């Protein structure tokens, strides 16, 4: 009997191909929208985490209080052992040291005299250690416009906008003028080996990226870190876990009122991100939820109509002597098959544009020229585990529920009444 | 020797709720049908023909009175028991054929057998025999859309007959057919009736059908107005 029903299902395109296509389209749209909303809403969080806040951040108490001034004189000492201790205690997190600094970037002419100068927002990160994940975290390789990645000490990247403003390119020497950790003047020569555009307006205006050791040498900050950032291994910010770790670490600090005592903050505690975090979470749920409900209604109706369309066939099967329960089960099974196939196809189809939007995104840079927000100028989708699962709600559940509802007509009526309705 | 009674109705009454009140479709019907009958229930639209067939076919239950089909009281049957009765002992032929359009002639005829515990070989033998009996062997792999109306109805007859039921209930079987096809269909059914001693009960107001009947029950306003037991065609031909 099952073979007989499968044969009928495959032959009748209005029962198989058409519903599968409709389900697939609905699911594909759901998958695409969910990944897009998810990506857009979490973009600011991701950008802030990668470039500024980490998932958690450890600094001195005083540094945290004046963070916007990059007070490197208040940096964490003995950063290496501190990192090792944290890494051992929280193996699910990856800790990295960073130093932010401000200064002047001086471009000399052929005689070594100043030709151009511009303020620069420097970022010292681990670029040269084998296995360092920082370049990938900041997406530097893909952000290079001209030149290459730094490969040895003394090599730096500058933002493309800054490079154009200073009329320099890869291969040019540059000097950074700044202030050491101890307040004396810092002066260090670098070679610009590449230009970058991060796609974040606040960074693209005047950023310089150098290796952490170079910056330490320049600023007399051996074995220190202005900031120690922690990232969850899977790259996703998990608020509850972050808040718990922060509470644990802060509770273990011996003298919490000391201005040089370390203090840890979760992403939500920085850059006024708490409200945005809650908003993003709720908005993602609401928008995805509304769309899922809308698609569910559409696909519910599909199941309903598919069920009603087959009342003629059902009538004949009843007359021939098939049990009502058997007919109902076969309708549900058919619906599960259609829903499952459509859902899988829809997820596959929806993931293609979602993946494209995740990889390449949509450039809204033209609208972000004067923005100082830590938000990407390329809006991207984000594919998560939810993206794979969300399509099953409208695709499978709603389709089957629609059929289940349509099928209850078989039970609710007298067989002869049903017969009249079936137009047998 | 008395004929074996396979359907008996006693004081059968059927009401349908209409608006706030009720409509009586059948009133106090007392009938018996014997094995091998070729009987028609005739009458104008709304006289209760289809309702009577539905109750005999265990698709509906009487409001009052009793109906016994093959020894089973229809009014006391559960849905499952009624389905089992239809599955094993009753065949239906409809005005609009009601073939399953995506299946071939073979598959349409095979369908009732899938509900019975028969092996593939037994099913094949039964299907081929039934299709052959209605003269459609060359169309075995055709789908209903590729058949004429008469051929579709012959497939429906084969489907009704394939499990060799005790009773075939045919609701206006010739209503959609021309005269030639109607006669062909009726001759086929008459032949099967004779060959297998299957009881045929028609609901009809088609004169072409009436002339083949060996018994004619006339319903008017839900009551039996006439029950003519003679071989009608033979009588008319003789007259």
């Amino acid at each position: 009997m099952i073979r007989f029903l499968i044969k009928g299902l495959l032959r009748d395109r209005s029962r198989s191909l058409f519903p599968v296509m409709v389900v697939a389209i609905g699911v594909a749209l759901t998958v695409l929208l969910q990944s897009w909303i998810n990506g857009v809403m979490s973009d600011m969080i991701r950008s802030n985490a990668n470039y500024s806040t980490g998932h958690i951040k450890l600094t001195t108490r005083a540094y945290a209080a004046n963070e916007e001034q990059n007070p490197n004189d208040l940096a964490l000492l003995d950063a290496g052992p501190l990192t090792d201790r944290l890494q051992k205690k929280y193996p699910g997190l990856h800790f990295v040291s960073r130093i932010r600094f401000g200064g002047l970037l001086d471009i000399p002419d052929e005689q070594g005299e100043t030709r151009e100068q511009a303020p620069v927002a420097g970022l010292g990160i681990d670029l040269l250690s084998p296995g360092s994940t920082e370049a990938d975290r900041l997406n530097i390789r893909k952000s290079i416009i001209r030149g290459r990645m730094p490969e040895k000490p003394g090599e730096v990247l500058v933002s493309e906008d800054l490079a154009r403003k200073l009329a320099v390119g890869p291969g040019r020497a540059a000097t950074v003028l700044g202030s050491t950790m101890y307040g004396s003047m810092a002066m260090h020569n670098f070679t610009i080996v590449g230009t970058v555009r991060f796609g974040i307006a606040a960074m693209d205006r005047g950023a310089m990226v150098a290796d952490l050791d170079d910056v330490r040498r320049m600023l007399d900050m051996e074995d220190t870190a202005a900031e120690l950032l922690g990232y969850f291994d899977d790259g996703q910010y998990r608020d509850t876990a972050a808040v718990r770790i922060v509470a644990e670490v802060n509770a273990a600090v011996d003298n919490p009122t000391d201005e040089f005592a370390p203090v840890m903050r979760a992403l939500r505690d920085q850059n006024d991100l708490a409200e945005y975090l809650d908003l993003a979470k709720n908005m993602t749920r609401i928008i995805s939820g509304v769309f899922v409900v809308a698609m569910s209604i559409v696909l519910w109706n599909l199941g309903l109509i598919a069920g009603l369309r087959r009342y003629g066939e059902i009538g004949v099967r009843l007359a021939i002597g098939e049990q009502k329960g058997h007919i109902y089960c076969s309708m549900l099974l058919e619906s599960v098959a259609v829903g499952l196939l459509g859902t899988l196809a829809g997820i596959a189809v929806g993931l293609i544009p979602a993946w494209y939007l995740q990889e390449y995104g949509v450039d809204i840079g033209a609208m972000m020229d004067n923005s100082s927000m830590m938000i990407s100028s390329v809006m991207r989708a984000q594919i998560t585990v939810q993206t794979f699962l969300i399509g099953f709600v409208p695709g499978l559940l709603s389709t089957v529920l629609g059929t289940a509802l349509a099928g209850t007509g078989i039970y609710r009526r007298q067989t002869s009444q049903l017969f009249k309705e079936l137009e047998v | 020797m008395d004929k074996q009674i396979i359907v008996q109705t006693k004081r059968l009454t059927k009401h349908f709720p209409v608006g706030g009140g009720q409509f009586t479709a059948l009133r106090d019907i007392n009938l018996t049908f014997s094995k091998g009958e070729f009987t028609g229930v005739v009458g104008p639209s709304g006289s209760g023909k289809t309702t009577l067939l539905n109750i005999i076919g265990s698709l509906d239950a009487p409001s009052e009175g009793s109906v016994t089909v093959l020894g089973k009281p229809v009014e006391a049957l559960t849905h499952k028991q009624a389905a089992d009765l239809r599955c094993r002992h009753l065949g239906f032929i409809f005005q609009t054929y009601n073939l399953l359009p995506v299946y071939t002639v073979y598959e349409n005829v095979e369908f009732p057998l899938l509900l019975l515990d028969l092996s593939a070989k037994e099913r094949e033998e039964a299907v081929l025999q039934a299709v052959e009996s209605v003269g459609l062997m060359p169309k075995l792999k055709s789908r209903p859309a590729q058949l004429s109306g008469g051929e579709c109805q012959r497939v429906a007859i084969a489907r009704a007959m394939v499990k060799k039921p005790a009773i075939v209930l045919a609701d206006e079987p010739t209503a959609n057919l021309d005269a030639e096809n109607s006669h062909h269909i009726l001759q086929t059914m008459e032949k099967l009736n004779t060959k297998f001693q299957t009881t045929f009960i028609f609901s009809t107001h088609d004169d072409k059908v009436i002339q083949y009947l060996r018994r004619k029950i006339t319903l008017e306003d839900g009551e039996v107005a006439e029950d003519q037991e003679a071989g009608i065609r033979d009588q008319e031909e003789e007259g």
Side-chain angles (χ1 to χ4, degrees):
Chain A
M1 177 59 110
I2 288 173
R3 229 176 67 186
F4 186 84
L5 293 173
I6 290 172
K7 209 187 280 181
L9 184 63
L10 293 177
R11 284 183 195 166
D12 188 353
R13 287 184 178 186
S14 64
R15 265 166 65 197
S16 50
L17 186 63
F18 176 67
V20 165
M21 278 174 65
V22 174
V23 171
I25 291 168
V27 169
L29 288 172
T30 307
V31 165
L32 179 59
L33 186 88
Q34 191 275 343
S35 63
W36 176 250
I37 294 290
N38 196 30
V40 169
M41 296 307 282
S42 60
D43 180 79
M44 188 190 272
I45 295 164
R46 196 170 46 245
S47 296
N48 271 281
N50 288 343
Y51 290 99
S52 174
T53 64
H55 293 150
I56 54 174
K57 183 194 276 188
L58 189 76
T59 61
T60 63
R61 184 166 295 280
Y63 185 98
N66 300 287
E67 192 170 5
E68 67 280 1
Q69 297 169 22
N70 298 328
N72 287 326
D73 53 325
L74 303 172
L76 292 162
L77 303 178
D78 299 323
L82 185 58
T83 307
D84 292 343
R85 282 202 301 277
L86 286 168
Q87 196 66 72
K88 197 173 171 187
K89 189 167 182 189
Y90 299 106
L93 283 159
H94 180 67
F95 289 91
V96 295
S97 296
R98 286 188 189 172
I99 297 173
R100 294 176 181 282
F101 61 96
L104 271 178
L105 188 65
D106 183 282
I107 307 296
D109 59 16
E110 286 75 13
Q111 282 76 44
E113 301 294 328
T114 296
R115 193 197 69 183
E116 295 280 355
Q117 275 188 342
V120 69
L123 178 63
I125 60 171
D126 184 1
L127 284 174
L128 300 179
S129 298
S132 170
T133 53
E134 286 283 79
D136 290 335
R137 183 169 293 117
L138 299 183
N139 199 31
I140 293 175
R141 285 184 185 85
K142 288 184 181 172
S143 303
I144 289 177
I145 304 296
R146 290 184 284 161
R148 59 169 172 79
M149 281 289 289
E151 290 169 355
K152 54 181 192 258
E155 294 183 343
V156 295
L157 300 166
V158 295
S159 75
E160 174 68 9
D161 293 357
L162 180 64
R164 289 195 181 281
K165 185 176 162 189
L166 297 173
V168 294
R172 286 299 298 262
T175 305
V176 174
L177 307 171
S179 144
T180 69
M181 183 179 180
Y182 303 104
S184 57
M185 187 172 180
M187 195 181 294
H188 202 89
N189 292 328
F190 291 101
T191 303
I192 298 169
V193 293
T195 66
V196 287
R197 182 172 287 139
F198 290 107
I200 294 176
M203 300 264 309
D204 285 337
R205 272 198 293 276
M208 186 186 103
V209 181
D211 181 58
L212 184 65
D213 285 341
D214 281 341
V215 175
R216 279 174 170 158
R217 272 193 293 278
M218 178 177 79
L219 304 178
D220 281 346
M221 292 178 72
E222 290 304 320
D223 203 23
T224 64
E227 302 169 350
L228 209 54
L229 305 184
Y231 293 94
F232 289 107
D233 280 346
D234 60 3
Q236 301 293 323
Y237 176 64
R238 292 197 292 281
D239 196 42
T240 311
V243 169
R244 180 180 53 77
I245 291 167
V246 165
E248 274 176 22
V249 170
N250 289 341
V253 173
D254 290 337
N255 186 7
T257 55
D258 186 283
E259 67 172 344
F260 288 101
V263 62
M264 187 174 270
R265 288 166 293 159
L267 180 143
R268 70 157 44 244
D269 303 324
Q270 304 171 62
N271 297 6
D272 297 325
L273 283 171
E275 277 183 31
Y276 182 80
L277 207 60
D278 294 336
L279 179 77
K281 194 161 74 177
N282 291 333
M283 285 301 286
T284 305
R285 283 180 182 168
I286 290 167
I287 296 171
S288 299
V290 166
F291 191 73
V292 166
V293 168
M295 282 316 303
S296 295
I297 291 168
V298 170
L299 297 179
W300 175 302
N301 273 293
L302 177 79
L304 208 60
I305 291 164
L308 295 174
R309 263 193 72 249
R310 298 182 55 204
Y311 265 24
E313 178 199 328
I314 292 165
V316 174
R317 288 166 65 178
L318 281 172
I320 285 169
E322 196 171 350
Q323 303 281 351
K324 287 180 176 181
H326 192 268
I327 294 174
Y328 192 62
C329 283
S330 71
M331 282 175 73
L332 287 183
L333 273 176
E334 196 172 295
S335 173
V336 167
V338 165
L340 199 60
L341 269 175
T343 301
L344 294 176
I347 289 171
V349 171
L351 281 175
I352 295 169
W355 173 84
Y356 181 85
L357 287 172
Q358 180 176 266
E359 288 298 305
Y360 300 102
V362 176
D363 193 346
I364 55 163
M367 293 185 277
M368 304 281 292
D369 278 349
N370 299 314
S371 170
S372 60
M373 291 168 72
M374 189 64 78
I375 187 168
S376 173
S377 59
V378 179
M379 307 301 274
R380 295 172 193 275
Q382 186 184 13
I383 296 168
T384 60
V385 176
Q386 276 186 337
T387 314
F388 288 86
L389 299 178
I390 200 162
F392 283 93
V393 177
L396 186 59
L397 199 62
S398 302
T399 309
V400 174
L401 279 177
T403 307
L405 192 69
T408 54
I410 298 171
Y411 286 102
R412 281 208 303 264
R413 290 159 176 77
Q414 281 286 327
T415 310
S416 61
Q417 182 64 21
L418 191 59
F419 249 55
K420 282 182 197 160
E421 291 169 18
L422 304 177
E423 296 171 2
V424 172
Chain B
M1 195 174 76
D2 284 346
K3 284 187 176 177
Q4 184 189 346
I5 293 170
I6 56 172
V7 177
Q8 185 166 34
T9 71
K10 285 183 183 168
R11 303 184 65 81
L12 165 62
T13 299
K14 180 68 185 177
H15 307 296
F16 288 111
V18 177
Q22 60 180 23
F23 167 73
T24 303
L26 294 172
R27 195 190 309 273
D28 212 15
I29 304 286
N30 294 293
L31 288 169
T32 54
F33 297 89
S34 303
K35 185 175 168 65
E37 275 194 23
F38 203 71
T39 300
V41 181
V42 302
S45 293
S47 58
K49 305 186 296 290
T50 301
T51 305
L52 179 62
L53 254 62
N54 280 346
I55 293 172
I56 293 171
S58 72
L59 295 168
D60 209 344
S63 305
E64 292 165 31
S66 68
V67 177
T68 308
V69 178
L70 298 166
K72 293 185 170 68
V74 169
E75 65 277 7
L77 296 178
T78 62
H79 284 304
K80 205 171 175 182
Q81 288 167 331
D84 192 59
L85 177 69
R86 290 196 296 274
C87 177
R88 295 183 187 283
H89 304 294
L90 303 180
F92 286 85
I93 299 168
F94 308 101
Q95 179 180 335
T96 51
Y97 330 129
N98 287 307
L99 302 177
L100 303 176
V102 293
Y103 296 104
T104 62
V105 167
Y106 182 96
E107 289 160 346
N108 264 286
V109 176
E110 186 190 23
F111 184 56
L113 301 179
L114 294 171
L115 303 171
L116 302 170
D117 294 328
L118 294 177
S119 67
K121 194 167 185 304
E122 286 171 320
R123 288 202 305 269
E124 187 184 351
E125 281 172 10
V127 171
L128 294 178
Q129 193 182 15
V131 174
E132 193 174 15
S133 68
V134 296
L136 278 177
M137 284 302 277
K139 304 276 186 177
L140 208 55
K141 289 182 179 172
S142 302
R143 293 199 192 171
Q146 297 166 306
L147 304 175
S148 68
E151 287 171 331
C152 282
Q153 197 60 299
R154 280 151 66 194
V155 177
I157 294 168
R159 183 177 63 184
M161 290 298 298
V162 69
K163 57 192 175 188
K164 296 192 173 63
I167 306 163
V168 170
L169 300 164
D171 192 4
E172 306 278 8
T174 56
N176 286 345
L177 301 178
D178 58 28
E180 189 186 341
N181 270 310
S182 295
H183 285 296
H184 194 167
I185 291 297
L186 286 159
Q187 283 158 11
T188 304
M189 288 195 276
E190 201 175 38
K191 189 178 75 185
L192 292 168
N193 164 256
T194 309
K195 187 174 176 186
F196 298 110
Q197 279 296 293
T198 304
T199 302
F200 277 77
I201 305 175
F202 298 88
S203 142
T204 186
H205 53 252
D206 183 350
D207 289 338
K208 295 189 292 295
V209 177
I210 291 169
Q211 64 181 292
Y212 280 84
L213 301 175
R214 290 199 289 273
R215 178 183 173 196
K216 184 176 82 170
I217 299 164
T218 307
L219 288 184
E220 277 175 20
D221 296 328
E223 292 181 272
V224 177
E226 190 180 31
D227 188 350
Q228 198 176 351
E229 290 278 355
I232 298 159
R233 188 168 48 149
D234 297 343
Q235 279 183 346
E236 282 171 357
E237 279 170 3
E238 282 166 14

